[in-house]
Amino acid sequence: MSFKDVEDARKTLEASDYVATTEIATVVFLAAASEKPVLVEGPAGVGKTELAKALSTGLNRELIRLQCYEGLDEAKALYEWEYAKQLLYTQIVRDKISDVVAGAKTLTEAVDKISDQSDAFFSERFLLPRPLLQAISTPEPVVLLIDEVDKSDPEFEAFLLELLSDFQITIPELGTRRALHKPLVILTSNGFRDMSDALKRRCLHLYIDYPGPETEREIVRRRTPDLSDHLAEQMVLAMERIRRLDLKKKPSISETIDWAHALINLRMESLSKEAVLSTLNVICKYREDKERVQQNVDQVVNFG
C-alpha cells in the first residue's frame, strides 16, 4: 500500500497520533512511492523512532526493529544457526550417523560421508532469522526500523549498503534470498557519528529538529488531553526558552510529555516559578542543566 499523495501520508500519520509537518509527510510519501529508505537525523527524542511506529500503525504493517550498537555484527542482524538445536538433533539421530559412516575404512572417509549429509543440518529448521532477514522474508510488506544506525561500526554500515541497494541477502549454505516485498525502511541517527556518503546516496534524507511552539502544542494536546490549554501554552513557551539556554542536553519532546504528565499529577493550574523549580528533575537529566535553569527561572516563567 502506498499513499495517494502527500496529504494522504500526513493524514495516515496523524491517525496514529503523529503530528507530521509538510516536510515529513512529503518525504514519507516519496519514500513509499520510490521504495527508497529514509535516513532520519536529529537530536534524541524528537520523534524519529516514533515516525516508524506511526507508519507501522497507519499502514497496518508489522514493525521489525533492529537496534544498533557498537560491535553489532552481521550474525546478530541477519541470522544465526541454532547450534544447540543442531547438537540436540545430532544426539537424537546418532544411530543414523553410525549407518552413514558404516563401511568407511578411514577417518577421512567417515568425515566425507558425514559431510555429504551437511545439508540436513544447515536447513531452514535450524536457521534463526534476525531482523534484516525477517524483514525481507515476510509474506506481507513490513516497516523496517534500523534504529540509531550511527552507533554501529562503519564496517556494519558498509554491510547495510548491499541490503539497501538490492534488498537481498546471501546465506552461503542456502543461497541468495531476495525480498518478497521491499520493506519501508526508516534509519535513525542521533549524530553520534557522521554517516557515509554511500549510505546517504541510497536514502532520502529527513532532519527532524525540536518542534516549533505550534507543533509542540499540538503534540501535547494529543498526548495529554487532560492538560488545560492555558497550562499547555505556558509549558510549551517555557520549554522553548529552556532549550535556548546553554544546556548539556536540551529537553526533547518526550521530556515535554513527561513534564505535562507531572503537572497534571501535581494538579498544577499555572506554571509558576515554584512549579518549574519543583519539577526540574523531570526535564533536566544533568545536574549542571538543572542549575542553569534554576539560575534563569525568572526568565523562563516571564509570561507577561
Side-chain angles (χ1 to χ4, degrees):
M1 172 185 174
S2 294
F3 303 105
K4 293 182 293 185
D5 49 32
V6 173
E7 181 61 18
D8 183 37
R10 186 188 65 78
K11 288 181 178 178
T12 299
L13 290 170
E14 294 207 343
S16 303
D17 277 340
Y18 189 93
V19 180
T21 63
T22 300
E23 180 185 12
I24 292 174
T26 300
V27 171
V28 165
F29 167 72
L30 293 175
S34 63
E35 297 186 321
K36 293 197 71 172
V38 182
L39 174 60
V40 190
E41 297 187 290
V46 294
K48 302 185 297 297
T49 299
E50 291 302 316
L51 175 60
K53 293 179 180 178
L55 284 169
S56 170
T57 301
L59 293 174
N60 195 27
R61 293 187 182 187
E62 180 186 359
L63 176 67
I64 296 179
R65 179 176 183 172
L66 173 63
Q67 179 63 52
C68 296
Y69 53 87
E70 187 176 352
L72 176 65
D73 59 17
E74 295 180 24
K76 295 296 183 183
L78 271 179
Y79 67 90
E80 290 184 284
W81 292 107
E82 293 189 87
Y83 295 114
K85 188 175 179 182
Q86 288 171 325
L87 180 60
L88 175 63
Y89 272 59
T90 301
Q91 297 300 318
I92 293 174
V93 300
R94 59 183 179 275
D95 293 339
K96 289 296 181 182
I97 293 176
S98 298
D99 294 341
V100 169
V101 299
K105 297 179 180 179
T106 67
L107 179 60
T108 300
E109 286 184 18
V111 170
D112 288 342
K113 285 177 175 287
I114 293 175
S115 179
D116 290 340
Q117 307 298 319
S118 62
D119 286 350
F121 286 92
F122 288 96
S123 59
E124 295 286 349
R125 66 167 58 90
F126 299 109
L127 188 68
L128 184 61
R130 295 300 186 186
L132 297 184
L133 181 57
Q134 291 172 2
I136 69 168
S137 302
T138 54
E140 299 294 333
V142 301
V143 174
L144 171 61
L145 170 61
I146 304 176
D147 214 5
E148 298 185 318
V149 65
D150 53 319
K151 289 185 178 179
S152 65
D153 300 319
E155 293 78 12
F156 181 76
E157 180 187 340
F159 156 73
L160 281 176
L161 297 179
E162 179 187 357
L163 174 71
L164 297 180
S165 295
D166 304 323
F167 288 96
Q168 66 180 33
I169 290 171
T170 299
I171 304 173
E173 297 86 356
L174 299 178
T176 299
R177 299 293 181 86
R178 293 177 175 82
L180 299 176
H181 303 279
K182 285 186 178 181
L184 180 54
V185 183
I186 303 293
L187 303 97
T188 73
S189 169
N190 295 332
F192 183 76
R193 67 175 176 85
D194 289 336
M195 303 282 75
S196 69
D197 290 342
L199 179 66
K200 289 187 174 183
R201 280 198 304 271
R202 286 163 174 77
C203 302
L204 299 179
H205 184 263
L206 175 63
Y207 187 88
I208 301 180
D209 207 343
Y210 298 107
E214 214 172 286
T215 302
E216 192 154 20
R217 276 196 300 273
E218 178 61 19
I219 294 171
V220 170
R221 186 188 67 79
R222 286 172 176 264
R223 304 299 283 277
T224 55
D226 293 337
L227 192 72
S228 70
D229 290 341
H230 171 68
L231 186 51
E233 182 80 23
Q234 289 184 325
M235 191 188 70
V236 168
L237 182 56
M239 186 63 86
E240 183 183 23
R241 291 170 177 172
I242 290 172
R243 289 187 185 128
R244 290 180 195 156
L245 300 175
D246 184 19
L247 303 180
K248 186 173 182 179
K249 180 190 179 299
K250 297 181 186 297
S252 65
I253 297 175
S254 58
E255 271 91 38
T256 302
I257 301 302
D258 290 343
W259 200 19
H261 284 300
L263 295 174
I264 291 171
N265 290 331
L266 292 170
R267 299 181 182 178
M268 299 286 188
E269 296 182 0
S270 64
L271 197 62
S272 64
K273 175 179 176 180
E274 291 72 22
V276 173
L277 292 175
S278 66
T279 55
L280 278 182
N281 288 327
V282 177
I283 59 176
C284 294
K285 308 304 181 183
Y286 294 92
R287 186 185 64 182
E288 50 266 51
D289 287 351
K290 181 179 176 181
E291 291 172 351
R292 182 62 57 87
V293 177
Q294 288 171 338
Q295 293 165 4
N296 293 272
V297 68
D298 290 330
Q299 172 190 337
V300 168
V301 297
N302 182 17
F303 301 120

